[in-house]
Amino acid sequence: MEAWLEEQFCLLETQGSSEAFFQELSKITNALGFDFCAYGLRVPYPLSAPRTEMLNNYPTIWQNTYQEKNYLKVDPTVHHGMTSQLPIVWSDQVFSQTPELMEDARAFGLEYGWAQSSRQANGTVGMLTLARSSEMLTPAELVRYRYQLLWLTQVTHHGLASRITEEKLEMPDLSVRELEMLKWTADGKTAEEIATILNITARTVNFHISQAMRKLDVVNKTAATVKAALMGLI
């Protein structure tokens, strides 16, 4: 077991891009008996509509159907993953409130599946989903592979969350001073109070906050502070 974990970790960590990482991950999960592999990453901003990025090797028609019917919004496995890091196995009971989603998935060969999420301290959530067209997932199989699946969930989130963030999510380059102003603002300090603490002028404080707002593409300092915190910058 330890040799397998180390070998797979080395294979995954040598992959440069998110696509290369995912391709290697797909080979590993295929060797465990799964035809399909998917990874979804949800970042907690903007708060009104958190952004989701997805990588998967599902049939293209199913990917289009899932998007067109906005199944992400009602997918019970996604809802489960947002509130629990325990694994979930697909079943009629799990999809009892969304039978059309399950029927459509089965029509494209996704008959049996398993999913588990992982969460970072900044609120970013990733979910690994594995599926196949035949052979039900038995309790014995889940027990046999439980450590590999748990390990893959964590390593996948660790590897893909950082890669996707770098490749697809624009991270602002805030200066040390700008971050300092946002930290004090997050503590509830006014510009005048920050100026007194740092022995600078309130005008200087407001200048740095304005620069941070511009880089974060927000309209006020509250939004700047919240976004910077959710992005793990402060």
Side-chain angles (χ1 to χ4, degrees):
M1 171 70 73
E2 290 184 5
W4 183 91
L5 296 179
E6 183 175 352
E7 179 183 359
Q8 306 313 318
F9 180 76
C10 291
L11 285 172
L12 290 172
E13 283 302 291
T14 56
Q15 306 309 313
S17 68
S18 60
E19 289 290 347
F21 187 104
F22 182 78
Q23 289 302 319
E24 193 60 47
L25 173 66
S26 298
K27 294 176 184 177
I28 295 172
T29 56
N30 185 259
L32 292 177
F34 295 95
D35 304 317
F36 306 108
C37 176
Y39 175 77
L41 175 70
R42 176 171 289 184
V43 295
Y45 55 87
L47 287 172
S48 57
R51 182 171 176 176
T52 299
E53 297 287 344
M54 299 185 71
L55 289 170
N56 65 72
N57 60 1
Y58 293 147
T60 302
I61 301 178
W62 168 239
Q63 293 182 43
N64 294 336
T65 299
Y66 191 91
Q67 184 174 3
E68 289 168 3
K69 294 190 176 183
N70 198 20
Y71 278 148
L72 180 65
K73 186 176 181 179
V74 299
D75 192 332
T77 64
V78 173
H79 290 178
H80 173 84
M82 293 301 297
T83 58
S84 173
Q85 294 184 55
L86 294 176
I88 185 171
V89 178
W90 294 4
S91 68
D92 290 335
Q93 182 178 358
V94 168
F95 291 92
S96 61
Q97 301 300 312
T98 56
E100 182 183 356
L101 191 164
M102 190 71 260
E103 289 173 8
D104 282 348
R106 286 171 173 164
F108 293 107
L110 284 77
E111 186 77 26
Y112 307 103
W114 170 99
Q116 186 167 5
S117 66
S118 181
R119 182 182 296 269
Q120 291 180 318
N122 65 358
T124 298
V125 180
M127 189 166 79
L128 176 65
T129 300
L130 308 178
R132 63 191 184 200
S133 302
S134 59
E135 296 186 26
M136 182 180 296
L137 285 165
T138 64
E141 182 181 9
L142 292 172
V143 169
R144 184 166 69 253
Y145 291 133
R146 65 183 181 275
Y147 295 119
Q148 287 99 322
L149 295 176
L150 174 62
W151 180 87
L152 279 174
T153 298
Q154 301 300 322
V155 171
T156 297
H157 186 50
H158 168 77
L160 284 179
S162 58
R163 286 171 169 82
I164 291 174
T165 298
E166 292 175 1
E167 295 169 3
K168 299 184 179 183
L169 303 178
E170 193 172 329
M171 297 294 285
D173 184 22
L174 298 181
S175 70
V176 173
R177 204 56 158 168
E178 289 159 1
L179 291 171
E180 185 177 25
M181 301 305 156
L182 292 180
K183 289 177 181 178
W184 283 114
T185 301
D187 284 340
K189 301 299 183 183
T190 65
E192 290 72 19
E193 289 172 331
I194 298 172
T196 299
I197 293 170
L198 301 178
N199 195 28
I200 56 178
T201 66
R203 183 177 179 181
T204 299
V205 173
N206 287 324
F207 169 77
H208 288 302
I209 291 177
S210 295
Q211 288 295 96
M213 287 165 51
R214 179 182 59 81
K215 293 178 180 180
L216 289 162
D217 192 26
V218 295
V219 298
N220 58 54
K221 67 179 183 180
T222 299
T225 304
V226 170
K227 187 171 184 179
L230 291 174
M231 297 178 85
L233 297 174
I234 61 174

